[in-house]
Short mmCIF file of all heavy atoms in Angstrom, two decimals:
data_model
loop_
_atom_site.label_atom_id
_atom_site.label_comp_id
_atom_site.label_asym_id
_atom_site.label_seq_id
_atom_site.Cartn_x
_atom_site.Cartn_y
_atom_site.Cartn_z
N MET A 1 5.87 -32.68 15.92
CA MET A 1 5.88 -31.58 14.96
C MET A 1 6.76 -30.46 15.49
O MET A 1 6.68 -30.10 16.63
CB MET A 1 4.48 -31.11 14.69
CG MET A 1 4.37 -30.13 13.59
SD MET A 1 2.63 -29.74 13.28
CE MET A 1 2.77 -28.03 13.00
N PHE A 2 7.59 -29.92 14.59
CA PHE A 2 8.48 -28.83 14.96
C PHE A 2 7.67 -27.53 15.07
O PHE A 2 6.89 -27.19 14.22
CB PHE A 2 9.58 -28.66 13.91
CG PHE A 2 10.46 -27.47 14.13
CD1 PHE A 2 11.40 -27.46 15.13
CD2 PHE A 2 10.31 -26.35 13.33
CE1 PHE A 2 12.20 -26.37 15.35
CE2 PHE A 2 11.10 -25.24 13.54
CZ PHE A 2 12.07 -25.26 14.55
N ARG A 3 7.87 -26.82 16.16
CA ARG A 3 7.20 -25.56 16.36
C ARG A 3 8.26 -24.47 16.52
O ARG A 3 9.09 -24.55 17.44
CB ARG A 3 6.34 -25.64 17.61
CG ARG A 3 5.41 -24.45 17.75
CD ARG A 3 4.36 -24.74 18.80
NE ARG A 3 3.57 -23.52 18.99
CZ ARG A 3 2.97 -23.19 20.08
NH1 ARG A 3 3.01 -24.00 21.11
NH2 ARG A 3 2.30 -22.07 20.18
N SER A 4 8.27 -23.49 15.64
CA SER A 4 9.27 -22.45 15.68
C SER A 4 9.09 -21.58 16.92
O SER A 4 7.97 -21.36 17.40
CB SER A 4 9.15 -21.57 14.43
OG SER A 4 10.00 -20.47 14.53
N ARG A 5 10.23 -21.07 17.37
CA ARG A 5 10.19 -20.18 18.53
C ARG A 5 9.62 -18.82 18.14
O ARG A 5 9.07 -18.09 18.93
CB ARG A 5 11.61 -20.02 19.05
CG ARG A 5 11.71 -19.13 20.28
CD ARG A 5 13.14 -19.09 20.77
NE ARG A 5 13.30 -17.94 21.62
CZ ARG A 5 14.46 -17.45 22.00
NH1 ARG A 5 15.55 -18.04 21.61
NH2 ARG A 5 14.52 -16.42 22.76
N PHE A 6 9.75 -18.52 16.86
CA PHE A 6 9.27 -17.22 16.37
C PHE A 6 8.02 -17.37 15.55
O PHE A 6 7.84 -18.43 14.88
CB PHE A 6 10.37 -16.57 15.52
CG PHE A 6 11.60 -16.22 16.31
CD1 PHE A 6 12.63 -17.11 16.41
CD2 PHE A 6 11.66 -15.00 16.98
CE1 PHE A 6 13.77 -16.82 17.16
CE2 PHE A 6 12.78 -14.69 17.73
CZ PHE A 6 13.84 -15.59 17.82
N MET A 7 7.17 -16.39 15.57
CA MET A 7 5.98 -16.40 14.72
C MET A 7 5.70 -14.99 14.21
O MET A 7 6.13 -14.01 14.86
CB MET A 7 4.76 -16.91 15.51
CG MET A 7 4.34 -16.02 16.65
SD MET A 7 2.86 -16.62 17.49
CE MET A 7 1.61 -16.21 16.26
N PRO A 8 5.06 -14.86 13.06
CA PRO A 8 4.81 -13.53 12.52
C PRO A 8 3.67 -12.85 13.33
O PRO A 8 2.69 -13.49 13.64
CB PRO A 8 4.39 -13.79 11.10
CG PRO A 8 3.95 -15.17 11.04
CD PRO A 8 4.65 -15.92 12.13
N CYS A 9 3.89 -11.57 13.62
CA CYS A 9 2.81 -10.83 14.28
C CYS A 9 1.65 -10.72 13.29
O CYS A 9 1.88 -10.34 12.14
CB CYS A 9 3.34 -9.42 14.65
SG CYS A 9 2.03 -8.27 15.19
N PRO A 10 0.42 -11.03 13.69
CA PRO A 10 -0.70 -10.98 12.75
C PRO A 10 -1.06 -9.57 12.29
O PRO A 10 -1.75 -9.39 11.29
CB PRO A 10 -1.85 -11.60 13.53
CG PRO A 10 -1.47 -11.51 14.96
CD PRO A 10 0.02 -11.48 15.03
N VAL A 11 -0.59 -8.55 13.02
CA VAL A 11 -0.94 -7.19 12.69
C VAL A 11 0.10 -6.53 11.78
O VAL A 11 -0.22 -5.90 10.79
CB VAL A 11 -1.11 -6.34 13.97
CG1 VAL A 11 -1.41 -4.88 13.61
CG2 VAL A 11 -2.23 -6.93 14.81
N CYS A 12 1.42 -6.76 12.11
CA CYS A 12 2.48 -6.03 11.35
C CYS A 12 3.40 -7.00 10.60
O CYS A 12 4.23 -6.55 9.83
CB CYS A 12 3.28 -5.13 12.25
SG CYS A 12 4.41 -6.01 13.37
N GLY A 13 3.28 -8.30 10.84
CA GLY A 13 4.09 -9.28 10.12
C GLY A 13 5.49 -9.44 10.65
O GLY A 13 6.25 -10.28 10.11
N ALA A 14 5.87 -8.72 11.70
CA ALA A 14 7.21 -8.83 12.25
C ALA A 14 7.40 -10.23 12.87
O ALA A 14 6.46 -10.80 13.39
CB ALA A 14 7.43 -7.76 13.30
N SER A 15 8.60 -10.73 12.77
CA SER A 15 8.91 -12.01 13.40
C SER A 15 9.11 -11.75 14.90
O SER A 15 9.98 -11.00 15.28
CB SER A 15 10.19 -12.58 12.78
OG SER A 15 10.51 -13.82 13.36
N VAL A 16 8.28 -12.39 15.69
CA VAL A 16 8.27 -12.12 17.14
C VAL A 16 8.52 -13.40 17.89
O VAL A 16 7.95 -14.45 17.59
CB VAL A 16 6.91 -11.51 17.58
CG1 VAL A 16 6.93 -11.21 19.04
CG2 VAL A 16 6.59 -10.29 16.74
N ASP A 17 9.38 -13.32 18.87
CA ASP A 17 9.65 -14.44 19.76
C ASP A 17 8.34 -14.74 20.52
O ASP A 17 7.77 -13.86 21.14
CB ASP A 17 10.77 -14.04 20.73
CG ASP A 17 11.25 -15.23 21.58
OD1 ASP A 17 10.47 -16.14 21.85
OD2 ASP A 17 12.43 -15.23 21.99
N ARG A 18 7.89 -16.00 20.47
CA ARG A 18 6.63 -16.37 21.13
C ARG A 18 6.60 -16.00 22.61
O ARG A 18 5.58 -15.61 23.14
CB ARG A 18 6.37 -17.86 21.01
CG ARG A 18 6.01 -18.32 19.64
CD ARG A 18 5.85 -19.83 19.64
NE ARG A 18 5.69 -20.34 18.33
CZ ARG A 18 4.52 -20.45 17.69
NH1 ARG A 18 3.42 -20.08 18.28
NH2 ARG A 18 4.46 -20.93 16.46
N THR A 19 7.76 -16.12 23.26
CA THR A 19 7.80 -15.84 24.69
C THR A 19 7.70 -14.34 24.97
O THR A 19 7.39 -13.94 26.07
CB THR A 19 9.10 -16.36 25.32
OG1 THR A 19 10.21 -15.74 24.64
CG2 THR A 19 9.20 -17.87 25.19
N ALA A 20 7.94 -13.48 23.96
CA ALA A 20 7.89 -12.03 24.14
C ALA A 20 6.71 -11.42 23.40
O ALA A 20 6.62 -10.21 23.22
CB ALA A 20 9.18 -11.39 23.66
N LEU A 21 5.75 -12.25 22.91
CA LEU A 21 4.64 -11.76 22.08
C LEU A 21 3.82 -10.69 22.79
O LEU A 21 3.38 -9.72 22.17
CB LEU A 21 3.75 -12.93 21.64
CG LEU A 21 2.75 -12.64 20.56
CD1 LEU A 21 3.45 -12.12 19.31
CD2 LEU A 21 1.94 -13.91 20.24
N ARG A 22 3.62 -10.86 24.10
CA ARG A 22 2.81 -9.88 24.82
C ARG A 22 3.49 -8.53 24.96
O ARG A 22 2.86 -7.52 25.16
CB ARG A 22 2.46 -10.42 26.22
CG ARG A 22 1.47 -11.55 26.14
CD ARG A 22 1.03 -11.99 27.51
NE ARG A 22 0.14 -13.17 27.36
CZ ARG A 22 -0.58 -13.65 28.30
NH1 ARG A 22 -0.56 -13.11 29.51
NH2 ARG A 22 -1.37 -14.67 28.10
N GLU A 23 4.83 -8.54 24.86
CA GLU A 23 5.58 -7.30 25.00
C GLU A 23 5.77 -6.61 23.63
O GLU A 23 6.20 -5.46 23.59
CB GLU A 23 6.95 -7.58 25.58
CG GLU A 23 6.89 -8.18 26.96
CD GLU A 23 8.19 -8.87 27.36
OE1 GLU A 23 9.22 -8.56 26.74
OE2 GLU A 23 8.15 -9.69 28.26
N HIS A 24 5.43 -7.30 22.56
CA HIS A 24 5.62 -6.74 21.23
C HIS A 24 4.69 -5.56 20.99
O HIS A 24 3.51 -5.62 21.26
CB HIS A 24 5.36 -7.81 20.18
CG HIS A 24 5.26 -7.28 18.79
ND1 HIS A 24 6.39 -6.84 18.09
CD2 HIS A 24 4.24 -7.14 17.94
CE1 HIS A 24 6.01 -6.45 16.90
NE2 HIS A 24 4.71 -6.61 16.79
N GLU A 25 5.28 -4.45 20.46
CA GLU A 25 4.46 -3.32 20.03
C GLU A 25 4.74 -3.13 18.57
O GLU A 25 5.88 -3.04 18.14
CB GLU A 25 4.87 -2.02 20.78
CG GLU A 25 4.29 -1.96 22.16
CD GLU A 25 4.55 -0.62 22.84
OE1 GLU A 25 4.43 0.41 22.15
OE2 GLU A 25 4.86 -0.62 24.03
N CYS A 26 3.69 -3.03 17.77
CA CYS A 26 3.81 -2.92 16.33
C CYS A 26 4.34 -1.52 15.98
O CYS A 26 3.85 -0.52 16.49
CB CYS A 26 2.49 -3.12 15.65
SG CYS A 26 1.72 -4.71 15.93
N SER A 27 5.33 -1.49 15.13
CA SER A 27 5.84 -0.22 14.62
C SER A 27 4.87 0.27 13.55
O SER A 27 4.47 -0.49 12.68
CB SER A 27 7.23 -0.43 14.02
OG SER A 27 7.46 0.37 12.92
N PRO A 28 4.47 1.55 13.58
CA PRO A 28 3.52 2.05 12.58
C PRO A 28 4.10 1.93 11.16
O PRO A 28 3.34 1.60 10.24
CB PRO A 28 3.34 3.52 12.95
CG PRO A 28 3.77 3.63 14.35
CD PRO A 28 4.80 2.56 14.61
N GLU A 29 5.41 2.15 10.99
CA GLU A 29 6.01 2.01 9.67
C GLU A 29 5.96 0.58 9.20
O GLU A 29 5.64 0.29 8.04
CB GLU A 29 7.49 2.50 9.70
CG GLU A 29 7.63 3.96 9.98
CD GLU A 29 7.64 4.30 11.43
OE1 GLU A 29 7.73 3.39 12.30
OE2 GLU A 29 7.50 5.49 11.77
N ARG A 30 6.30 -0.34 10.09
CA ARG A 30 6.27 -1.79 9.75
C ARG A 30 4.85 -2.22 9.39
O ARG A 30 4.64 -2.95 8.44
CB ARG A 30 6.82 -2.57 10.94
CG ARG A 30 6.66 -4.04 10.87
CD ARG A 30 7.87 -4.67 10.26
NE ARG A 30 7.53 -6.05 9.89
CZ ARG A 30 8.26 -6.79 9.15
NH1 ARG A 30 9.41 -6.35 8.74
NH2 ARG A 30 7.89 -8.00 8.84
N ARG A 31 3.89 -1.73 10.15
CA ARG A 31 2.48 -2.10 9.91
C ARG A 31 2.02 -1.56 8.55
O ARG A 31 1.34 -2.27 7.79
CB ARG A 31 1.62 -1.51 11.02
CG ARG A 31 0.19 -1.94 10.94
CD ARG A 31 -0.59 -1.43 12.12
NE ARG A 31 -1.98 -1.83 11.94
CZ ARG A 31 -2.91 -1.60 12.83
NH1 ARG A 31 -2.63 -1.03 13.97
NH2 ARG A 31 -4.14 -2.00 12.60
N ALA A 32 2.40 -0.31 8.22
CA ALA A 32 2.03 0.25 6.93
C ALA A 32 2.65 -0.55 5.79
O ALA A 32 1.99 -0.84 4.80
CB ALA A 32 2.44 1.71 6.86
N ASP A 33 3.94 -0.91 5.93
CA ASP A 33 4.61 -1.72 4.91
C ASP A 33 3.91 -3.06 4.73
O ASP A 33 3.71 -3.52 3.61
CB ASP A 33 6.08 -1.97 5.29
CG ASP A 33 6.96 -0.74 5.09
OD1 ASP A 33 6.49 0.20 4.42
OD2 ASP A 33 8.08 -0.73 5.60
N TYR A 34 3.55 -3.68 5.86
CA TYR A 34 2.88 -4.99 5.82
C TYR A 34 1.52 -4.89 5.12
O TYR A 34 1.16 -5.74 4.31
CB TYR A 34 2.75 -5.50 7.26
CG TYR A 34 2.22 -6.90 7.39
CD1 TYR A 34 2.96 -8.00 6.96
CD2 TYR A 34 0.98 -7.13 7.98
CE1 TYR A 34 2.46 -9.29 7.10
CE2 TYR A 34 0.48 -8.43 8.15
CZ TYR A 34 1.21 -9.50 7.70
OH TYR A 34 0.75 -10.78 7.84
N GLU A 35 0.78 -3.85 5.45
CA GLU A 35 -0.54 -3.67 4.84
C GLU A 35 -0.39 -3.39 3.33
O GLU A 35 -1.18 -3.89 2.53
CB GLU A 35 -1.31 -2.54 5.53
CG GLU A 35 -1.78 -2.99 6.92
CD GLU A 35 -2.52 -1.88 7.68
OE1 GLU A 35 -2.72 -0.81 7.13
OE2 GLU A 35 -2.88 -2.14 8.83
N MET A 36 0.60 -2.57 2.96
CA MET A 36 0.82 -2.28 1.54
C MET A 36 1.22 -3.55 0.79
O MET A 36 0.83 -3.76 -0.35
CB MET A 36 1.86 -1.19 1.35
CG MET A 36 1.35 0.19 1.72
SD MET A 36 -0.14 0.68 0.86
CE MET A 36 0.45 0.75 -0.82
N PHE A 37 2.03 -4.42 1.44
CA PHE A 37 2.43 -5.68 0.85
C PHE A 37 1.19 -6.55 0.57
O PHE A 37 1.08 -7.15 -0.49
CB PHE A 37 3.41 -6.41 1.75
CG PHE A 37 3.90 -7.72 1.19
CD1 PHE A 37 4.80 -7.75 0.15
CD2 PHE A 37 3.41 -8.90 1.70
CE1 PHE A 37 5.23 -8.94 -0.39
CE2 PHE A 37 3.85 -10.13 1.19
CZ PHE A 37 4.75 -10.14 0.13
N GLY A 38 0.26 -6.55 1.53
CA GLY A 38 -0.97 -7.31 1.36
C GLY A 38 -1.86 -6.77 0.24
O GLY A 38 -2.63 -7.50 -0.36
N LEU A 39 -1.71 -5.49 -0.05
CA LEU A 39 -2.54 -4.86 -1.08
C LEU A 39 -1.84 -4.69 -2.43
O LEU A 39 -2.31 -4.01 -3.32
CB LEU A 39 -2.97 -3.45 -0.59
CG LEU A 39 -3.87 -3.44 0.64
CD1 LEU A 39 -4.05 -2.01 1.13
CD2 LEU A 39 -5.23 -4.02 0.32
N ARG A 40 -0.63 -5.34 -2.56
CA ARG A 40 0.18 -5.12 -3.75
C ARG A 40 -0.57 -5.46 -5.06
O ARG A 40 -0.40 -4.77 -6.06
CB ARG A 40 1.51 -5.86 -3.67
CG ARG A 40 1.39 -7.36 -3.70
CD ARG A 40 2.66 -8.02 -3.26
NE ARG A 40 2.60 -9.44 -3.29
CZ ARG A 40 1.99 -10.19 -2.35
NH1 ARG A 40 1.41 -9.59 -1.31
NH2 ARG A 40 1.95 -11.51 -2.46
N GLY A 41 -1.39 -6.47 -5.04
CA GLY A 41 -2.15 -6.85 -6.23
C GLY A 41 -3.15 -5.73 -6.60
O GLY A 41 -3.26 -5.35 -7.76
N GLU A 42 -3.84 -5.20 -5.60
CA GLU A 42 -4.83 -4.17 -5.85
C GLU A 42 -4.17 -2.87 -6.31
O GLU A 42 -4.67 -2.17 -7.19
CB GLU A 42 -5.65 -3.90 -4.59
CG GLU A 42 -6.61 -5.03 -4.27
CD GLU A 42 -7.40 -4.77 -3.01
OE1 GLU A 42 -7.87 -3.64 -2.84
OE2 GLU A 42 -7.51 -5.69 -2.20
N THR A 43 -3.02 -2.52 -5.73
CA THR A 43 -2.34 -1.28 -6.11
C THR A 43 -1.81 -1.40 -7.55
O THR A 43 -1.86 -0.42 -8.31
CB THR A 43 -1.19 -0.89 -5.17
OG1 THR A 43 -0.28 -1.98 -5.04
CG2 THR A 43 -1.70 -0.54 -3.80
N ALA A 44 -1.34 -2.57 -7.94
CA ALA A 44 -0.90 -2.78 -9.30
C ALA A 44 -2.07 -2.63 -10.30
O ALA A 44 -1.93 -2.03 -11.36
CB ALA A 44 -0.23 -4.13 -9.49
N GLN A 45 -3.20 -3.17 -9.91
CA GLN A 45 -4.40 -3.06 -10.76
C GLN A 45 -4.89 -1.63 -10.85
O GLN A 45 -5.36 -1.18 -11.89
CB GLN A 45 -5.55 -3.95 -10.23
CG GLN A 45 -5.32 -5.41 -10.49
CD GLN A 45 -6.43 -6.27 -9.94
OE1 GLN A 45 -7.43 -5.74 -9.43
NE2 GLN A 45 -6.27 -7.58 -10.02
N LEU A 46 -4.76 -0.89 -9.71
CA LEU A 46 -5.21 0.51 -9.72
C LEU A 46 -4.39 1.33 -10.71
O LEU A 46 -4.92 2.11 -11.49
CB LEU A 46 -5.08 1.10 -8.30
CG LEU A 46 -5.35 2.57 -8.18
CD1 LEU A 46 -6.84 2.86 -8.45
CD2 LEU A 46 -4.97 3.10 -6.82
N GLU A 47 -3.07 1.15 -10.67
CA GLU A 47 -2.20 1.89 -11.59
C GLU A 47 -2.56 1.56 -13.04
O GLU A 47 -2.66 2.46 -13.87
CB GLU A 47 -0.73 1.56 -11.30
CG GLU A 47 0.21 2.40 -12.13
CD GLU A 47 1.66 2.13 -11.77
OE1 GLU A 47 1.93 1.55 -10.70
OE2 GLU A 47 2.53 2.52 -12.57
N ALA A 48 -2.75 0.29 -13.34
CA ALA A 48 -3.11 -0.12 -14.71
C ALA A 48 -4.46 0.51 -15.11
O ALA A 48 -4.64 0.95 -16.24
CB ALA A 48 -3.11 -1.62 -14.83
N GLY A 49 -5.41 0.53 -14.15
CA GLY A 49 -6.73 1.08 -14.42
C GLY A 49 -6.67 2.56 -14.71
O GLY A 49 -7.36 3.08 -15.58
N VAL A 50 -5.86 3.27 -13.94
CA VAL A 50 -5.70 4.73 -14.15
C VAL A 50 -5.11 4.96 -15.55
O VAL A 50 -5.55 5.84 -16.30
CB VAL A 50 -4.84 5.36 -13.05
CG1 VAL A 50 -4.46 6.78 -13.40
CG2 VAL A 50 -5.60 5.35 -11.73
N LEU A 51 -4.06 4.19 -15.87
CA LEU A 51 -3.43 4.35 -17.21
C LEU A 51 -4.40 4.05 -18.32
O LEU A 51 -4.44 4.77 -19.33
CB LEU A 51 -2.17 3.48 -17.30
CG LEU A 51 -1.02 3.90 -16.41
CD1 LEU A 51 0.10 2.87 -16.48
CD2 LEU A 51 -0.50 5.28 -16.78
N ARG A 52 -5.23 3.01 -18.15
CA ARG A 52 -6.27 2.69 -19.16
C ARG A 52 -7.25 3.83 -19.30
O ARG A 52 -7.59 4.23 -20.41
CB ARG A 52 -7.03 1.42 -18.76
CG ARG A 52 -6.54 0.16 -19.44
CD ARG A 52 -7.55 -1.00 -19.33
NE ARG A 52 -8.08 -1.19 -17.97
CZ ARG A 52 -7.49 -1.89 -17.03
NH1 ARG A 52 -6.32 -2.48 -17.25
NH2 ARG A 52 -8.05 -2.02 -15.85
N TYR A 53 -7.67 4.40 -18.16
CA TYR A 53 -8.63 5.51 -18.20
C TYR A 53 -8.02 6.72 -18.91
O TYR A 53 -8.70 7.40 -19.68
CB TYR A 53 -9.06 5.88 -16.76
CG TYR A 53 -9.89 7.14 -16.75
CD1 TYR A 53 -11.18 7.14 -17.24
CD2 TYR A 53 -9.35 8.35 -16.30
CE1 TYR A 53 -11.95 8.31 -17.25
CE2 TYR A 53 -10.10 9.50 -16.31
CZ TYR A 53 -11.40 9.47 -16.79
OH TYR A 53 -12.13 10.64 -16.83
N LEU A 54 -6.76 7.00 -18.61
CA LEU A 54 -6.14 8.16 -19.22
C LEU A 54 -6.03 8.04 -20.73
O LEU A 54 -5.85 9.06 -21.41
CB LEU A 54 -4.77 8.42 -18.57
CG LEU A 54 -4.80 8.88 -17.13
CD1 LEU A 54 -3.38 9.01 -16.59
CD2 LEU A 54 -5.57 10.16 -16.96
N MET A 55 -6.11 6.85 -21.28
CA MET A 55 -6.03 6.64 -22.73
C MET A 55 -7.42 6.83 -23.39
O MET A 55 -7.51 6.93 -24.61
CB MET A 55 -5.53 5.23 -23.04
CG MET A 55 -4.09 4.98 -22.55
SD MET A 55 -2.90 6.16 -23.18
CE MET A 55 -2.82 5.63 -24.88
N THR A 56 -8.50 6.90 -22.57
CA THR A 56 -9.81 7.11 -23.16
C THR A 56 -9.99 8.59 -23.52
O THR A 56 -9.19 9.44 -23.10
CB THR A 56 -10.93 6.71 -22.16
OG1 THR A 56 -10.87 7.57 -21.02
CG2 THR A 56 -10.78 5.26 -21.73
N ALA A 57 -11.07 8.92 -24.23
CA ALA A 57 -11.34 10.29 -24.60
C ALA A 57 -11.52 11.16 -23.33
O ALA A 57 -10.99 12.26 -23.21
CB ALA A 57 -12.57 10.38 -25.49
N ALA A 58 -12.30 10.64 -22.37
CA ALA A 58 -12.54 11.37 -21.13
C ALA A 58 -11.23 11.58 -20.35
O ALA A 58 -10.98 12.66 -19.81
CB ALA A 58 -13.55 10.64 -20.23
N GLY A 59 -10.39 10.56 -20.34
CA GLY A 59 -9.10 10.66 -19.63
C GLY A 59 -8.17 11.65 -20.30
O GLY A 59 -7.48 12.42 -19.61
N ARG A 60 -8.16 11.63 -21.63
CA ARG A 60 -7.31 12.60 -22.33
C ARG A 60 -7.80 14.02 -22.10
O ARG A 60 -7.01 14.96 -21.90
CB ARG A 60 -7.27 12.29 -23.83
CG ARG A 60 -6.47 11.03 -24.15
CD ARG A 60 -6.12 10.96 -25.64
NE ARG A 60 -7.26 11.08 -26.52
CZ ARG A 60 -8.05 10.08 -26.95
NH1 ARG A 60 -7.78 8.85 -26.57
NH2 ARG A 60 -9.05 10.29 -27.76
N PHE A 61 -9.13 14.20 -22.04
CA PHE A 61 -9.67 15.52 -21.77
C PHE A 61 -9.29 16.00 -20.36
O PHE A 61 -8.88 17.14 -20.17
CB PHE A 61 -11.20 15.53 -21.93
CG PHE A 61 -11.83 16.82 -21.53
CD1 PHE A 61 -11.72 17.95 -22.36
CD2 PHE A 61 -12.52 16.97 -20.31
CE1 PHE A 61 -12.27 19.17 -21.99
CE2 PHE A 61 -13.07 18.20 -19.96
CZ PHE A 61 -12.95 19.28 -20.78
N GLU A 62 -9.40 15.10 -19.40
CA GLU A 62 -9.05 15.50 -18.02
C GLU A 62 -7.56 15.79 -17.89
O GLU A 62 -7.17 16.69 -17.15
CB GLU A 62 -9.45 14.38 -17.01
CG GLU A 62 -10.96 14.36 -16.84
CD GLU A 62 -11.38 13.63 -15.59
OE1 GLU A 62 -10.71 13.80 -14.54
OE2 GLU A 62 -12.37 12.91 -15.63
N THR A 63 -6.73 15.09 -18.61
CA THR A 63 -5.29 15.36 -18.62
C THR A 63 -5.05 16.75 -19.19
O THR A 63 -4.26 17.55 -18.62
CB THR A 63 -4.54 14.31 -19.43
OG1 THR A 63 -4.80 13.01 -18.90
CG2 THR A 63 -3.04 14.55 -19.43
N TRP A 64 -5.71 17.07 -20.30
CA TRP A 64 -5.58 18.37 -20.94
C TRP A 64 -6.04 19.46 -19.98
O TRP A 64 -5.39 20.49 -19.81
CB TRP A 64 -6.39 18.37 -22.24
CG TRP A 64 -6.46 19.75 -22.85
CD1 TRP A 64 -5.51 20.34 -23.63
CD2 TRP A 64 -7.51 20.69 -22.72
NE1 TRP A 64 -5.92 21.61 -24.01
CE2 TRP A 64 -7.16 21.84 -23.47
CE3 TRP A 64 -8.75 20.68 -22.06
CZ2 TRP A 64 -7.97 22.97 -23.53
CZ3 TRP A 64 -9.55 21.78 -22.13
CH2 TRP A 64 -9.18 22.91 -22.88
N LEU A 65 -7.24 19.24 -19.33
CA LEU A 65 -7.81 20.23 -18.42
C LEU A 65 -6.89 20.45 -17.23
O LEU A 65 -6.66 21.60 -16.81
CB LEU A 65 -9.17 19.72 -17.95
CG LEU A 65 -10.08 20.75 -17.24
CD1 LEU A 65 -10.39 21.92 -18.18
CD2 LEU A 65 -11.37 20.07 -16.81
N ALA A 66 -6.32 19.38 -16.66
CA ALA A 66 -5.43 19.52 -15.51
C ALA A 66 -4.17 20.33 -15.91
O ALA A 66 -3.75 21.20 -15.14
CB ALA A 66 -5.01 18.12 -15.00
N ALA A 67 -3.63 20.04 -17.07
CA ALA A 67 -2.45 20.77 -17.53
C ALA A 67 -2.78 22.25 -17.71
O ALA A 67 -1.99 23.14 -17.38
CB ALA A 67 -1.93 20.16 -18.83
N LYS A 68 -3.99 22.53 -18.21
CA LYS A 68 -4.41 23.92 -18.40
C LYS A 68 -4.51 24.64 -17.05
O LYS A 68 -4.07 25.78 -16.93
CB LYS A 68 -5.78 23.92 -19.13
CG LYS A 68 -6.25 25.31 -19.50
CD LYS A 68 -7.56 25.20 -20.24
CE LYS A 68 -8.08 26.61 -20.50
NZ LYS A 68 -9.35 26.59 -21.18
N HIS A 69 -5.07 23.97 -16.04
CA HIS A 69 -5.17 24.58 -14.70
C HIS A 69 -3.79 24.83 -14.12
O HIS A 69 -3.57 25.88 -13.49
CB HIS A 69 -5.97 23.68 -13.77
CG HIS A 69 -7.43 23.74 -13.97
ND1 HIS A 69 -8.18 24.84 -13.64
CD2 HIS A 69 -8.30 22.83 -14.48
CE1 HIS A 69 -9.45 24.62 -13.96
NE2 HIS A 69 -9.55 23.42 -14.47
N VAL A 70 -2.88 23.91 -14.32
CA VAL A 70 -1.53 24.08 -13.77
C VAL A 70 -0.83 25.25 -14.46
O VAL A 70 -0.22 26.09 -13.79
CB VAL A 70 -0.68 22.78 -13.95
CG1 VAL A 70 0.79 23.01 -13.67
CG2 VAL A 70 -1.21 21.68 -13.06
N ARG A 71 -0.98 25.36 -15.78
CA ARG A 71 -0.36 26.47 -16.49
C ARG A 71 -0.95 27.82 -16.06
O ARG A 71 -0.25 28.78 -15.97
CB ARG A 71 -0.57 26.29 -18.01
CG ARG A 71 0.53 25.47 -18.64
CD ARG A 71 0.42 25.46 -20.13
NE ARG A 71 0.19 24.07 -20.57
CZ ARG A 71 -0.88 23.63 -21.18
NH1 ARG A 71 -1.82 24.43 -21.58
NH2 ARG A 71 -0.97 22.38 -21.49
N ARG A 72 -2.26 27.82 -15.77
CA ARG A 72 -2.91 29.07 -15.35
C ARG A 72 -2.37 29.53 -13.99
O ARG A 72 -2.26 30.74 -13.77
CB ARG A 72 -4.43 28.84 -15.22
CG ARG A 72 -5.20 30.15 -15.10
CD ARG A 72 -6.68 29.92 -14.93
NE ARG A 72 -7.24 29.28 -16.10
CZ ARG A 72 -8.41 28.64 -16.12
NH1 ARG A 72 -9.11 28.51 -15.01
NH2 ARG A 72 -8.85 28.08 -17.21
N ARG A 73 -2.05 28.61 -13.10
CA ARG A 73 -1.55 28.98 -11.76
C ARG A 73 -0.11 29.49 -11.82
O ARG A 73 0.30 30.28 -11.01
CB ARG A 73 -1.60 27.79 -10.82
CG ARG A 73 -2.99 27.45 -10.39
CD ARG A 73 -2.95 26.32 -9.40
NE ARG A 73 -4.33 25.95 -9.03
CZ ARG A 73 -4.61 25.00 -8.15
NH1 ARG A 73 -3.65 24.32 -7.60
NH2 ARG A 73 -5.81 24.75 -7.87
N ALA A 74 0.65 29.00 -12.80
CA ALA A 74 2.07 29.38 -12.85
C ALA A 74 2.26 30.82 -13.31
O ALA A 74 1.43 31.46 -13.85
CB ALA A 74 2.83 28.44 -13.77
ZN1 LIG B 101 3.27 -6.32 15.32
#
């Protein structure tokens, strides 16, 4: 069986040379991108859920109230 020299880091997803795996340090930016990629389904559902809520009576009221607060501060 063919075994690749490189493997994905389980924490940040970076392609890491197996012989240098112990020297690998995860980049915080890379790790955040990797985690956000793993959560892409949930973030898409969250956006749709917020939009659905904003179409309800309570959501429309909160939108109106927030705009009123913003206008008051200006
Ligand atoms: Zn890593």
